[in-house]
Amino acid sequence: MALQAFLRRTIREGDLTVRLPGGGKLVLGDGTGRPVVVAITSRLWAARIALKPALAVGEAYMEGGLVLERGDVWDFIDLIGRNAWRRPLKRAGPIARWWLDRRLQANARAAARRNVAHHYDLSVDLYRLFLDPDLQYSCAYFPDPHASLEEAQLAKKRHLAAKLLLRPGHRVLDIGCGWGGLALTLAEETGAEVEGVTLSTEQFATATRRAEAQGLAERARFSLTDYRDVAGPYDRIVSVGMFEHVGRPNFQAYFDQVARLMKDDGVAVIHSIGRAEGPAFTQPWIAKYIFPGGYIPALSETLAAVERSGLMVTDVEVLRLHYAETLKAWRERFAVRREEAARMYDERFCRMWEFYLAVSELAFRYRGHMVFQLQLAKRIDAVPVTRDYMGEAEAWLHRRRRRAA
């Protein structure tokens, strides 16, 4: 049976029992770790998993074709992750890359709006179940490994503010502003005037309401605007968790636009998920069900577009396990409030969402994903010549908030 051969070849570590349709079972691994028992409910699902495991395992879990009888979804995903090195990442050849660029990642304006709506126009109440109160839906920054999610997300915003060298009155563009948390924090804590753009109607409405409720509507404004249609110019540009939605064919247009919108003495910070192992494919289940049109870039292909745009890289920072810990916190919070999510949507949606959070955490723990922050400028003297200013600015923001509290 093709599935049995695939599993015996792939699962060498851990303790996995697979109950097969027809009554048979496979005991796999070296017996280490938490025992996991799964049942595959039909021969059709067994065949689909054997043929396209990267897509079909998630589909089977969503649809009830793969049932966890012992252990939870993270136990299962973690076991897969520990064996993932036996399945090398696939590289796209020139023909496959041309087809993917043309068919899946072109992200013209209409397609970009549809792709954003697929994920981000879900009810904000769903995201409130597992995000921090500020609705930060990107990698947190853990200066202390024991920091709470709330502390780490605030630290992330301060870290970005420090790299932006913000001053009162600076005009700031937030590309992909989410539900407005970063823009509101920058406006409140630094005195900057922030304009956030998004393609999500839900995010736009929530961000606008929050600005009005906090008395910041004059300094934090939001609009439903494609980044390609922004006019500028700006003193500072920040983009957090949006570059992953640009699509590889648009990397050059994206950085050309950042350069066009930035004043000559301006600074930009681009925060994005990246690949430590070079260009590859988007995970097919994620591409189909979670982030259509998305692509995780490698630094090698990103920096080439930056250089051609005329921008200078003034700082690069790689955050390795910070997103794994962020996703762990989200996954655990979602599990606690899973019944509420089921009432909002349904059981299939909950299985899809918990699989998404778990497989995303796997990518950062086992498959070479990380987060990079690029600080960009036009002028060689736009930022100080050493990095000391970053820590000093973060400490100042921390003291300022404590005094205000």
Side-chain angles (χ1 to χ4, degrees):
M1 184 178 181
L3 177 63
Q4 295 184 39
F6 167 75
L7 291 173
R8 288 196 177 99
R9 184 172 64 251
T10 304
I11 305 299
R12 305 287 183 84
E13 299 178 30
D15 185 349
L16 175 64
T17 299
V18 181
R19 299 192 187 280
L20 300 167
K25 73 175 182 179
L26 289 175
V27 179
L28 303 161
D30 57 6
T32 59
R34 297 183 63 177
V36 177
V37 179
V38 302
I40 298 173
T41 60
S42 72
R43 287 183 171 83
L44 177 59
W45 277 118
R48 290 177 63 177
I49 292 170
L51 182 64
K52 293 184 177 180
L55 177 64
V57 169
E59 290 182 329
Y61 182 69
M62 285 168 55
E63 306 293 349
L66 185 151
V67 178
L68 286 165
E69 296 185 347
R70 184 173 181 181
D72 61 24
V73 66
W74 174 248
D75 296 330
F76 176 58
I77 294 297
D78 182 60
L79 189 149
I80 292 173
R82 283 186 282 141
N83 289 275
W85 62 272
R86 293 185 174 83
R87 300 188 68 230
L89 292 172
K90 292 183 178 180
R91 306 295 179 189
I95 295 176
R97 174 62 66 196
W98 175 84
W99 174 248
L100 289 168
D101 287 352
R102 181 183 178 88
R103 178 68 179 86
L104 300 178
Q105 293 167 17
N107 287 336
R109 285 168 175 77
R113 287 193 293 272
R114 287 195 303 270
N115 292 339
V116 165
H118 177 88
H119 191 83
Y120 296 100
D121 280 349
L122 297 170
S123 170
V124 68
D125 291 331
L126 168 70
Y127 293 96
R128 293 189 195 278
L129 297 180
F130 64 95
L131 299 182
D132 67 299
D134 196 48
L135 295 172
Q136 289 296 301
Y137 194 32
S138 59
C139 177
Y141 180 66
F142 291 85
D144 176 353
H146 303 294
S148 68
L149 178 64
E150 287 75 12
E151 292 167 337
Q153 291 291 14
L154 178 58
K156 184 264 300 290
K157 291 183 288 182
R158 288 181 181 148
H159 201 52
L160 292 165
K163 292 183 178 186
L164 287 165
L165 296 117
L166 289 171
R167 299 289 182 270
H170 269 164
R171 190 181 181 204
V172 182
L173 173 66
D174 182 358
I175 302 176
C177 62
W179 295 277
L182 176 62
L184 293 167
T185 298
L186 296 181
E188 180 180 21
E189 295 198 352
T190 72
E193 297 181 4
V194 188
E195 298 176 24
V197 297
T198 178
L199 293 179
S200 165
T201 56
E202 285 285 325
Q203 290 185 336
F204 165 67
T206 299
T208 301
R209 285 195 299 267
R210 294 178 70 190
E212 293 170 351
Q214 295 179 36
L216 291 168
E218 292 300 315
R219 285 193 284 128
R221 296 178 292 275
F222 303 95
S223 66
L224 281 168
T225 306
D226 192 295
Y227 73 94
R228 290 165 283 203
D229 299 325
V230 177
Y234 295 91
D235 301 289
R236 302 289 187 262
I237 297 174
V238 65
S239 182
V240 177
M242 184 272 179
F243 187 58
E244 303 93 316
H245 301 287
V246 166
R248 204 180 76 97
N250 300 310
F251 285 1
Q252 195 61 59
Y254 176 88
F255 286 109
D256 287 348
Q257 176 71 332
V258 170
R260 188 183 69 79
L261 293 173
M262 189 192 302
K263 292 182 179 179
D264 288 345
D265 59 351
V267 177
V269 177
I270 311 300
H271 167 121
S272 173
I273 299 171
R275 301 177 185 273
E277 300 177 356
F281 291 99
T282 300
Q283 205 279 344
W285 185 86
I286 291 288
K288 183 175 180 178
Y289 293 99
I290 307 299
F291 294 120
Y295 176 76
I296 304 302
L299 270 171
S300 55
E301 53 193 346
T302 303
L303 292 177
V306 171
E307 292 166 357
R308 289 191 293 266
S309 74
L311 294 168
M312 174 182 294
V313 178
T314 50
D315 190 82
V316 179
E317 183 174 9
V318 173
L319 308 179
R320 287 161 288 116
L321 288 170
H322 292 260
Y323 215 157
E325 292 303 311
T326 304
L327 285 155
K328 178 183 178 184
W330 292 347
R331 173 174 57 81
E332 291 174 344
R333 290 177 177 217
F334 183 82
V336 169
R337 304 185 69 180
R338 190 182 190 280
E339 291 184 4
E340 295 175 66
R343 288 195 292 270
M344 290 181 197
Y345 292 95
D346 56 25
E347 179 62 24
R348 178 185 180 275
F349 179 91
C350 288
R351 288 195 295 265
M352 178 183 72
W353 208 259
E354 62 192 4
F355 191 85
Y356 148 57
L357 293 174
V359 80
S360 297
E361 185 178 345
L362 175 152
F364 287 91
R365 296 199 187 278
Y366 297 109
R367 299 299 274 174
H369 279 37
M370 47 75 168
V371 167
F372 60 77
Q373 291 183 347
L374 300 180
Q375 185 193 60
L376 309 173
K378 290 182 177 178
R379 286 187 358 197
I380 197 168
D381 60 349
V383 301
V385 295
T386 68
R387 302 179 87 246
D388 297 351
Y389 70 92
M390 296 181 191
E392 292 168 0
E394 290 176 68
W396 181 83
L397 289 167
H398 179 68
R399 290 193 301 269
R400 184 177 184 276
R401 179 175 282 256
R402 289 186 66 181
R403 287 195 300 269

